[in-house]
Amino acid sequence: MTRVAAVDCGTNSIRLLVADVDPATGELVDLDRRMTIVRLGQGVDRTGRLAPEALERTFAACREYAAVIKEHGAERVRFVATSASRDAENRDEFVRGVLDILGVEPEVVTGDQEAEFSFTGATRELAGSDHLDRPYLVVDIGGGSTEFVVGEEHVRAARSVDVGCVRMTERHLVRDGAVTDPPSEEQIAAMRADIERALDLAEETVPLAEARTLVGLAGSVTTVSAIAQELPEYDSERIHHSRVSYERVREISEWLLRSTHAERAAVPSMHPGRVDVIAAGALVLLSIMERIGAREVVVSEHDILDGIGWSLA
């Protein structure tokens, strides 16, 4: 076993996995897995820069994670940064801060690399599942981007597009500095059109229609599963490898788009940091399912973070 620490810093959240990994047996044993909503991508789509307060939230989480990594004695550490830090003019400030705190330089990966990590993390343990048809389409709906990957044992085609729950919310659902509750039909239509254009782009590279099993990753998808199961609290074990039908995703998406902030916040499985962006994330998932005709989505709690962990082994 090799003890590794993987950090995934996205547009909305930063996450840590400390695990023992055995590449010979294909075993990955969690020692610590945690997530903090930092909204690093706050305003990036509008300003092109990482906001000072967003950087400080992220650095505070990094200091917490550094203590956890030291406590567990991880032998190898890898920090991967995704969409928001790819887009920002002042990303050097972000890189210097992470290096000072964690002692490793964040790798601002390309969308294709991000997709490779996501696919490995999501499908490695599905390899022995005879009841799931291949090829898989893995979709990782993040804050700033969504990754699409088609493959069997390995990636066949991948594409990252700039559609995510934070980016869509800020672009279409914010008026006068606040999220519209609920959004107008015109706002929803504009967001839907943006998502459809992104799906057109993804299809230029990734044969979406060939997919036989849709695997959904990240907080928007896992939260939809928690709502579908009416969980009294967020429960990773019940969410991991759950299946949510297209009809249920549509019902939940429509309700989220009609709901107020208070109604969404009252959902017991809802993380407070997702209340304002979950409607956009759910609509991205629904649009993908409609595009490929998926009858259900297989929800995975294992994703890019696990893929980063495997890369260290």
Side-chain angles (χ1 to χ4, degrees):
M1 288 281 195
T2 301
R3 184 156 295 180
V4 302
V7 181
D8 166 39
C9 184
T11 303
N12 195 44
S13 64
I14 183 169
R15 299 181 303 143
L16 169 70
L17 169 65
V18 181
D20 286 332
V21 181
D22 186 346
T25 62
E27 186 179 12
L28 184 150
V29 180
D30 286 18
L31 300 174
D32 199 304
R33 188 186 290 260
R34 60 183 67 193
M35 182 269 289
T36 309
I37 300 285
V38 294
R39 199 65 64 85
L40 178 62
Q42 172 193 328
V44 167
D45 195 52
R46 178 176 51 83
T47 67
R49 296 180 61 82
L50 298 168
E53 61 271 29
L55 283 168
E56 184 44 48
R57 289 193 298 267
T58 304
F59 293 154
C62 286
R63 287 188 280 271
E64 174 194 330
Y65 291 180
V68 174
I69 291 167
K70 182 178 180 181
E71 178 187 343
H72 284 291
E75 302 165 47
R76 301 176 187 173
V77 181
R78 190 171 189 180
F79 187 114
V80 169
T82 53
S83 179
S85 48
R86 274 202 304 270
D87 300 340
E89 295 172 6
N90 59 334
R91 68 183 188 182
D92 288 348
E93 186 180 348
F94 165 71
V95 171
R96 285 195 304 272
V98 172
L99 184 58
D100 287 346
I101 296 166
L102 286 167
V104 294
E105 187 169 320
E107 301 172 53
V108 182
V109 299
T110 66
D112 286 345
Q113 289 173 305
E114 194 175 339
E116 186 87 34
F117 287 138
S118 295
F119 186 83
T120 301
T123 64
R124 187 160 185 134
E125 63 188 340
L126 296 178
S129 300
D130 296 332
H131 58 286
L132 293 178
D133 295 331
R134 302 177 195 176
Y136 306 116
L137 170 61
V138 175
V139 294
D140 187 342
I141 303 172
S145 64
T146 295
E147 282 62 57
F148 295 83
V149 197
V150 163
E152 288 84 14
E153 286 80 11
H154 302 286
V155 172
R156 193 201 311 170
R159 182 74 180 264
S160 176
V161 295
D162 287 339
V163 168
C165 60
V166 174
R167 195 185 297 268
M168 289 297 94
T169 299
E170 291 188 348
R171 187 178 292 176
H172 298 291
L173 303 185
V174 173
R175 293 291 182 272
D176 300 320
V179 176
T180 308
D181 273 331
S184 67
E185 291 299 323
E186 290 76 16
Q187 287 174 298
I188 295 170
M191 182 165 59
R192 169 76 88 153
D194 214 354
I195 295 168
E196 293 297 334
R197 283 191 293 271
L199 290 173
D200 291 341
L201 281 176
E203 279 193 310
E204 291 177 2
T205 309
V206 180
L208 302 182
E210 294 182 16
R212 294 294 172 266
T213 296
L214 174 64
V215 183
L217 317 182
S220 291
V221 181
T222 59
T223 300
V224 166
S225 173
I227 296 170
Q229 296 182 66
E230 300 181 357
L231 297 181
E233 60 184 5
Y234 192 94
D235 186 335
S236 293
E237 288 190 10
R238 291 184 63 182
I239 290 168
H240 188 47
H241 289 174
S242 61
R243 300 184 184 198
V244 187
S245 70
Y246 163 75
E247 289 77 14
R248 196 76 178 99
V249 172
R250 188 187 68 234
E251 290 171 4
I252 292 167
S253 178
E254 289 175 352
W255 178 78
L256 289 168
L257 288 165
R258 291 194 310 267
S259 65
T260 64
H261 182 280
E263 288 170 333
R264 295 190 300 277
V267 174
S269 57
M270 181 79 68
H271 189 287
R274 297 204 185 279
V275 174
D276 285 338
V277 299
I278 183 61
L283 185 60
V284 173
L285 175 61
L286 178 66
S287 301
I288 293 167
M289 296 183 77
E290 290 179 347
R291 176 65 67 101
I292 68 171
R295 291 177 294 179
E296 65 176 13
V297 57
V298 178
V299 181
S300 179
E301 284 275 9
H302 293 181
D303 49 30
I304 187 174
L305 201 56
D306 301 76
I308 297 165
W310 281 114
S311 75
L312 287 165

